[in-house]
Amino acid sequence: MAVTNQPGKYEPSDFQTDLCDCCDDCGTCCCGFFCFLCLGCSIARDMDECCLCGVGMPIRAVYRTRYNIRGSLCKDYLAAGCCPLCATCQLKRDIDRRKEQGIF
């Protein structure tokens, strides 16, 4: 039997929610709005990174690469730079959904 896929690899996909889908998870949105750094620390903790690494373009790029999510460093930079709250909330929503699906 021939192996056609490497184990642990994911098919290319998109984020499971759009950048501005804050109403999909109001709790995450409120956490980000009232304590942005706490939300970043939560993301960093989920990804086994330093708490200071939880917000911004680098963590988004690492996450996209790990789960083979379509995009580019330029798009990560624009999302994190133009709307850091929305980008961080989107990342946390995606992490939470992958946890529910058992693929995180």
Side-chain angles (χ1 to χ4, degrees):
M1 174 183 236
V3 176
T4 57
N5 290 324
Q6 292 294 323
K9 295 292 180 186
Y10 297 97
E11 293 297 320
S13 64
D14 296 314
F15 280 100
Q16 296 182 45
T17 60
D18 288 331
L19 188 63
C20 296
D21 282 348
C22 291
C23 293
D24 281 4
D25 184 354
C26 291
T28 296
C29 185
C30 287
C31 179
F33 185 76
F34 291 109
C35 191
F36 183 68
L37 295 178
C38 294
L39 184 60
C41 283
S42 174
I43 290 170
R45 189 173 40 251
D46 289 339
M47 294 185 62
D48 293 326
E49 297 288 340
C50 170
C51 189
L52 299 174
C53 300
V55 297
M57 186 271 295
I59 195 79
R60 190 174 173 87
V62 167
Y63 183 80
R64 260 191 338 89
T65 303
R66 188 177 293 177
Y67 291 99
N68 202 14
I69 296 172
R70 291 180 192 94
S72 67
L73 289 175
C74 183
K75 288 181 181 179
D76 293 336
Y77 179 79
L78 289 172
C82 293
C83 193
L85 177 60
C86 293
T88 303
C89 289
Q90 180 189 36
L91 184 56
K92 181 61 177 164
R93 286 191 308 269
D94 205 81
I95 289 170
D96 290 345
R97 288 192 180 190
R98 287 182 191 275
K99 283 181 178 179
E100 290 171 2
Q101 297 163 352
I103 58 173
F104 183 79

